[in-house]
């Protein structure tokens, strides 16, 4: 194995719960394993202050701490972890060829793609300032912290509707703010929204500015038809305007669905034999760390079986 063209049985791209779990199972399964985690390994959980729903932690665990534990565990079991990005992949022949940002190339018997998806943000500076301080991209993760408080959800699709309904378990009032005069969410969810006395739908508005000192205390909304401003005194705003899967690298190389997610079968196999995908990069529904970790485990078990099969 030379430094310029190192070969591994399994190469994992991505360093969230799916990637690290895949690395743990691959290394423990006896495969030479490398994980490319990008320049800041950890994925979306690096932005999550406290996680209370990952089993095994009685007290809340900070997202970054959980990811560092997974990283250390993968390394202890023998996985090589590279803090660099994979910038190109060639799945046209075997072994698969991958090139990293440093220019070094690597080959792999099997590849697991676990590059995740990013919650979309509105993009204004005041929103970015309050992420983790009242602005959140995950109601399931952070809703619990808003017991008895007034909160707002931005978006009009199924995610926004589900988030609004979920948040009524904790919040005293939930404003659902949508930029148009009709929701995109399914009829069933819309009925549930309208039947819930804690929910108020505010149509034709978008956030203009998030305000507060150390933590969020309110948001100004702009009426897209009249330009009038409306102020909501809320301590939590949940942005639910969709996710973007990190699949640019795989366009034209793996089958992607219309939204850009990698299409897999139930064994997490992609359209290329020997390439598997796990976690939010293929999960259009759950987007939870524990689900991604489970998928990472499955993908590694399948990759190990695949390597056994091709050896025969
Ligand atoms: P989505 O369907 O793409 O909806 C995104 C919503 O955000 C839309 O209402 C959109 O407004 C709004 N939006 C987008 N950009 C915005 C911006 N810059 N400012 C303000 N609003 C903005 O995304 P999703 O709700 O996350 O759902 C993604 C997929 O997962 C869908 O196929 C959905 O059916 C599925 N899903 C299913 C379930 C379920 O079955 N239980 C649950 C969640 C998600 P417009 O309507 O004006 O475009």
């Amino acid at each position: 194995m030379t430094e310029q063209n190192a070969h591994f049985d399994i190469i994992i791209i991505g360093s969230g719960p799916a990637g690290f779990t895949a690395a743990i199972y691959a290394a423990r399964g006896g495969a030479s394993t490398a994980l490319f985690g990008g320049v800041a390994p950890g994925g979306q959980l690096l932005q999550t202050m406290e996680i209370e729903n990952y089993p095994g932690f009685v007290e809340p665990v900070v997202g970054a701490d959980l990811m560092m534990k997974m990283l250390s565990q993968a390394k202890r079991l023998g996985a090589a972890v590279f803090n660099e990005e994979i910038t190109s992949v060639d799945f046209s022949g075997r072994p698969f060829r991958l090139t990293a940002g440093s220019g070094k190339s690597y080959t792999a018997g099997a590849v697991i793609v676990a590059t995740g998806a990013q919650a979309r943000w509105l993009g204004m500076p005041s929103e970015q300032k309050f992420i983790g301080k009242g602005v959140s991209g995950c109601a399931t993760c952070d809703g619990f912290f808003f017991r008895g408080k007034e909160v707002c959800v931005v978006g009009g699709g199924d995610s926004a509707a589900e988030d609004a309904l979920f948040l009524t378990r904790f919040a005293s009032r939930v404003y659902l703010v949508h930029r148009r005069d009709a929701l995109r969410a399914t009829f069933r969810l819309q009925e549930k929204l309208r039947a819930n006395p804690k929910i108020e739908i505010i149509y034709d508005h978008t956030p203009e500015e998030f305000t507060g000192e150390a933590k969020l205390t309110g948001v100004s909304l702009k009426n897209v038809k009249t330009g009038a401003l409306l102020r909501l005194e809320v301590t939590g705003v949940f942005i639910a305007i969709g996710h973007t899967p990190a699949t640019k690298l795989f366009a034209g190389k793996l089958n992607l669905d219309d939204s850009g997610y990698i299409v897999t079968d139930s064994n997490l196999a992609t359209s290329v034999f020997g390439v598997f995908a796990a976690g939010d990069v293929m999960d259009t529904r759950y987007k939870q760390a524990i689900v991604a970790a489970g998928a990472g485990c499955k993908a590694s078990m399948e990759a190990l079986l695949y390597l056994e099969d091709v050896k025969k």
Side-chain angles (χ1 to χ4, degrees):
M1 178 168 98
T2 68
E3 187 65 359
Q4 276 309 305
N5 188 9
H7 179 83
F8 293 91
D9 294 330
I10 299 180
I11 289 184
I12 296 145
I13 313 173
S15 57
F20 283 133
T21 308
I24 289 164
Y25 273 78
R28 276 198 100 236
S32 62
T33 302
L35 178 146
F36 287 83
V39 280
Q44 285 188 88
L45 283 193
L46 291 185
Q47 288 166 20
T48 308
M49 281 313 290
E50 289 192 337
I51 302 167
E52 279 190 331
N53 54 7
Y54 199 90
F57 294 87
V58 178
E59 298 302 325
V61 57
V62 175
D65 292 349
L66 178 61
M67 298 324 296
M68 290 311 112
K69 282 183 202 291
M70 289 191 194
L71 184 151
S72 303
Q73 189 180 0
K75 280 185 171 171
R76 183 180 70 76
L77 292 166
V81 177
F82 295 88
N83 286 6
E84 55 178 334
E85 307 230 350
I86 292 296
T87 51
S88 74
V89 294
D90 179 357
F91 295 151
S92 62
R94 288 177 179 71
F96 302 122
R97 295 187 173 278
L98 298 88
T99 307
S102 60
K104 286 184 195 158
S105 58
Y106 299 85
T107 55
V111 171
I112 297 172
V113 179
T115 45
Q118 287 187 327
R120 272 189 221 135
W121 299 104
L122 296 162
M124 62 257 263
S126 64
E127 171 200 50
Q128 298 299 306
K129 180 179 163 192
F130 290 108
I131 290 175
K133 297 169 190 150
V135 173
S136 169
C138 179
T140 312
C141 318
D142 298 328
F144 187 76
F145 302 115
F146 294 88
R147 208 169 267 281
K149 304 274 196 296
E150 297 210 345
V151 300
C152 156
V153 176
V154 181
D158 285 344
S159 296
E162 286 200 339
D163 284 0
L165 290 163
F166 176 77
L167 286 164
T168 59
R169 297 183 195 183
F170 314 103
S172 56
R173 184 138 202 83
V174 179
Y175 299 97
L176 178 60
V177 175
H178 183 38
R179 64 181 174 183
R180 288 189 296 122
D181 59 3
L183 297 174
R184 182 183 291 279
T186 51
F187 182 68
R188 184 183 62 84
L189 281 170
Q190 293 198 33
E191 276 187 330
K192 282 190 176 181
L193 289 173
R194 292 192 185 101
N196 193 312
K198 280 189 176 179
I199 294 176
E200 182 178 331
I201 305 175
I202 302 178
Y203 293 102
D204 293 324
H205 280 75
T206 53
E208 180 76 356
E209 198 177 6
F210 296 84
T211 51
E213 293 294 328
K215 288 191 168 182
L216 184 82
T217 53
V219 59
S220 302
L221 306 176
K222 187 176 180 178
N223 184 317
V224 294
K225 289 184 173 158
T226 65
L229 291 178
L230 172 69
R231 166 119 183 124
L232 291 182
E233 306 288 338
V234 290
T235 52
V237 176
F238 292 84
I239 310 295
I241 60 171
H243 283 78
T244 307
T247 51
K248 248 190 218 156
L249 196 57
F250 310 105
K253 298 181 176 171
L254 298 176
N255 276 359
L256 307 179
D257 72 9
D258 290 345
S259 307
Y261 288 87
I262 296 178
V263 176
T264 66
D265 68 11
S266 57
N267 293 336
L268 303 186
T270 69
S271 51
V272 174
F273 198 44
V275 178
F276 301 84
D280 287 6
V281 76
M282 46 68 65
D283 176 0
T284 56
R285 189 167 166 84
Y286 298 104
K287 296 197 166 53
Q288 296 300 301
I290 188 68
V291 177
C297 158
K298 276 172 75 173
S300 256
M301 292 176 75
E302 295 297 336
L304 289 164
L305 285 174
Y306 162 82
L307 290 173
E308 280 299 309
D309 277 354
V310 291
K311 255 196 240 158
K312 284 176 193 162

